[in-house]
Amino acid sequence: MKRHSNNFIEHSLIGTLDFLKESLFAEEFALKKGFLQLLDPRIKVLTFLLLIIQAVLIKNILILFYLYALCLLLAAISRINLGFFLKRTWVFIPLFSLVIAIPALFSIFSPGEALVTFKLLSIKFVITQQGLSGAALFVMRVITCVSFAVLMSITTKHFELLKVLRIFKVPQVFVMIAGMCYRYVYLFIGIIENTYLAIKSRTGTRIHYKRGQQIVAWNIAYLWSRSYCLNEQVYQAMLSRGYTGEPEVLNDFRARIKDWLWLFCVLGICAFLFYLSRR
Amino acid sequence: MHIPDGYLGPATCGAFYAVMLPIWTAASKIVKKTLKAKQVPMLAIGAAFSFVIMMFNVPIPGGSTGHAVGGVLVAILLGPWAACIAITVALVVQALLFGDGGITAIGANCFNMAFVLPFVGYYLYKAISFNAPIDSNRRVIAAGVAGYVALNMAALFTGIEFGLQPLLHHTATGQALYCPYGLNVAVAAMAGEHLLIFGWVEAIVTALVVKYLQKHSPELLEEKGGL
């Protein structure tokens, strides 16, 4: 372990670059003319929420597997690169879940019917039927939910996705703040990236972690005071665009026959899966 | 600390949405009453700030890095109710647009990070720094303590939520249906890493940011009238 290191600069830079790269990819997929991209965003979000809730409710791994296969099929007919999609959905949350599910295989955490028994360093380990089924169901559920959530976000323009919140009766002010927040995130990430690049170019030697912590804190404080100054300018810009104190979110979505058909199709799938899981 | 979809059962997810609904309504009413129209962009800025604060990697001894959540800092800067709205918006944007944190778990995530974290942190900060001048060292210490305690409280609640799953949702043979670890493991795991590592990162970042603001922009640390 190194006592002096600059890797917090590298990590922050990699984080911001990954974020921007991922957003670019997502925007690129959202603009394609695939099946999901052409659906009304309101119907799409509603149906995806139904599918995610269905995935949370299902207690049978085989039925969850069917649901996951449906998700991959939807990704394929929406012209999403499956390699990208699998990488995007498996990396981190499901892989992390897979790792944390491993101890749950063993009798110490999941007592039950012994399936496999082995000795390691003269300690007896027992993998139980209950542990294996529970861990497999857990990971399958997480990957199915994450895949549907990611598929929804990469096949919908982000601004439309936030506007859709209106159909769930989310107050206009929240929807407006979410839209503005989304813009600010990119502005702030740009600031962070530039600041860290500047720090990196000026630090030839390794920085002690205490000094590093001060640099980070200074940057956070600076970002906040810079943002605070923005407030007045943004408000003036809002006034010049007709803001009267009551936010208005334009509703220019239009549902067509195809959208309704998709909604009924998803309702049918959910009803069928529900029936299968209760059988 | 973002709980993904699939970790919590439907009853827990539903219960936390039900718990958060009156909190969001109250926050919305209080902020609308207290916030001037010209300060509306501040909520969006606060939301974006809570979103990106996690991108600042903080060096920790041993050459590794961690990141702060920043909930207490946002509460000190905006007030607890405004922070509740700002963090909620950030969590919704993260879940919907970037798949970070589950959609079904938004209620639980908001309870931990947009309610417990800013409220515990803010009131602890206020109690310790009671009547202290803006440039006082007591405020720096108060910010650090508040950051550490509030993050650990939020982690404790997250651990309890995870740990309750095998009790609430299991098959007749005892197979766990959601998060497979009970309270003894989940709470110990969540509390351990936050007590030993992430709590300190949160404390250091919150305290140092308050220290820098005292020096360069003390007006930003003035009371927000219970907002």
Side-chain angles (χ1 to χ4, degrees):
Chain A
M1 292 242 217
K2 287 172 281 185
R3 191 159 174 262
H4 300 273
S5 179
N6 288 357
N7 64 2
F8 71 99
I9 300 176
E10 297 293 336
H11 284 174
S12 300
L13 276 172
I14 290 168
T16 55
L17 286 174
D18 280 352
F19 178 86
L20 293 172
K21 207 164 68 183
E22 226 172 71
S23 303
L24 274 178
F25 274 129
E27 201 62 33
E28 193 187 303
F29 287 127
L31 290 171
K32 285 190 174 182
K33 301 255 179 254
F35 174 73
L36 290 173
Q37 291 89 333
L38 296 174
L39 287 175
D40 180 319
R42 292 170 303 174
I43 306 268
K44 190 186 348 177
V45 170
L46 191 65
T47 51
F48 270 67
L49 284 184
L50 282 173
L51 290 166
I52 291 171
I53 292 170
Q54 187 68 35
V56 171
L57 288 170
I58 290 172
K59 295 169 184 169
N60 182 317
I61 192 165
L62 192 64
I63 300 173
L64 263 177
F65 183 77
Y66 293 150
L67 208 53
Y68 182 55
L70 171 72
C71 184
L72 293 183
L73 178 73
L74 286 172
I77 61 170
S78 303
R79 299 185 181 185
I80 305 294
N81 179 320
L82 275 183
F84 164 82
F85 185 66
L86 289 173
K87 195 176 145 202
R88 172 75 179 78
T89 50
W90 271 95
V91 169
F92 198 61
I93 296 171
L95 270 186
F96 174 74
S97 308
L98 192 67
V99 171
I100 66 163
I102 291 171
L105 295 173
F106 298 96
S107 56
I108 184 166
F109 294 116
S110 310
E113 205 180 309
L115 209 61
V116 180
T117 308
F118 61 93
K119 272 192 171 184
L120 202 69
L121 300 169
S122 67
I123 303 168
K124 190 180 166 194
F125 290 93
V126 181
I127 295 179
T128 62
Q129 168 73 47
Q130 283 80 354
L132 183 65
S133 321
L137 182 70
F138 172 64
V139 175
M140 195 67 219
R141 194 195 307 286
V142 171
I143 183 62
T144 308
C145 291
V146 168
S147 300
F148 274 117
V150 169
L151 188 58
M152 179 178 78
S153 84
I154 62 173
T155 56
T156 317
K157 287 176 203 147
H158 283 177
F159 262 101
E160 289 183 348
L161 203 48
L162 292 175
K163 266 166 64 179
V164 163
L165 290 174
R166 287 294 296 139
I167 64 164
F168 300 107
K169 302 286 174 205
V170 174
Q172 297 245 17
V173 70
F174 276 90
V175 181
M176 188 187 74
I177 291 170
M180 288 170 71
C181 161
Y182 178 67
R183 286 190 194 131
Y184 282 126
V185 164
Y186 284 92
L187 175 74
F188 287 178
I189 283 175
I191 295 175
I192 297 172
E193 196 188 355
N194 291 335
T195 315
Y196 274 100
L197 271 176
I199 296 170
K200 195 182 172 192
S201 66
R202 280 165 179 79
T203 48
T205 53
R206 291 188 182 277
I207 304 171
H208 189 270
Y209 77 89
K210 280 190 179 167
R211 179 74 190 123
Q213 287 170 350
Q214 285 172 346
I215 291 174
V216 174
W218 180 85
N219 273 298
I220 294 174
Y222 173 67
L223 181 65
W224 180 254
S225 56
R226 204 167 152 177
S227 327
Y228 204 83
C229 300
L230 255 183
N231 182 42
E232 181 67 32
Q233 292 168 20
V234 173
Y235 182 66
Q236 295 298 338
M238 284 163 72
L239 286 181
S240 71
R241 282 166 178 79
Y243 178 67
T244 55
E246 279 305 315
E248 277 294 330
V249 179
L250 296 176
N251 184 2
D252 45 9
F253 297 132
R254 190 164 295 165
R256 286 163 296 179
I257 295 174
K258 193 174 79 169
D259 301 306
W260 293 113
L261 279 176
W262 167 244
L263 175 63
F264 288 118
C265 182
V266 170
L267 286 173
I269 291 169
C270 288
F272 179 64
L273 293 179
F274 187 72
Y275 164 74
L276 274 185
S277 62
R278 294 275 152 176
R279 219 171 46 158
Chain B
M1 208 184 285
H2 291 64
I3 305 173
D5 283 316
Y7 276 60
L8 303 180
T12 318
C13 294
F16 276 104
Y17 270 107
V19 168
M20 280 312 292
L21 209 60
I23 297 173
W24 286 325
T25 311
S28 174
K29 277 185 185 161
I30 291 168
V31 168
K32 205 172 175 182
K33 210 160 48 177
T34 351
L35 200 75
K36 290 173 200 143
K38 65 187 290 184
Q39 286 173 307
V40 167
M42 210 58 237
L43 286 178
I45 291 171
F49 185 72
S50 5
F51 188 111
V52 298
I53 214 164
M54 289 177 229
M55 291 200 168
F56 285 97
N57 277 277
V58 184
I60 49 182
S64 186
T65 65
H67 69 77
V69 176
V72 177
L73 186 61
V74 176
I76 293 171
L77 295 169
L78 284 178
W81 292 103
C84 177
I85 292 186
I87 299 169
T88 296
V89 169
L91 290 172
V92 169
V93 171
Q94 281 176 333
L96 276 184
L97 307 188
F98 303 101
D100 201 0
I103 294 173
T104 54
I106 284 177
N109 280 326
C110 285
F111 178 80
N112 303 329
M113 284 186 276
F115 177 63
V116 174
L117 185 63
F119 277 86
V120 170
Y122 178 78
Y123 286 106
L124 199 58
Y125 169 77
K126 262 192 91 172
I128 300 172
S129 64
F130 183 69
N131 275 346
I134 291 288
D135 60 350
S136 145
N137 260 342
R138 186 142 56 93
R139 283 190 183 261
V140 177
I141 295 163
V145 173
Y148 184 79
V149 175
L151 190 79
N152 278 293
M153 282 297 285
L156 175 68
F157 274 100
T158 312
I160 293 173
E161 288 149 25
F162 285 149
L164 284 176
Q165 298 316 300
L167 294 174
L168 294 172
H169 310 280
H170 55 82
T171 61
T173 55
Q175 174 200 316
L177 292 169
Y178 298 93
C179 181
Y181 301 105
L183 281 167
N184 54 343
V185 178
V187 171
M190 285 302 291
E193 62 179 13
H194 285 84
L195 282 168
L196 295 174
I197 305 168
F198 299 114
W200 292 107
V201 173
E202 192 75 16
I204 289 165
V205 168
T206 314
L208 285 177
V209 172
V210 167
K211 194 176 169 188
Y212 277 99
L213 288 175
Q214 279 182 332
K215 213 185 231 176
H216 301 288
S217 316
E219 71 283 357
L220 298 182
L221 289 171
E222 277 160 19
E223 291 294 319
K224 298 290 182 293
L227 202 66

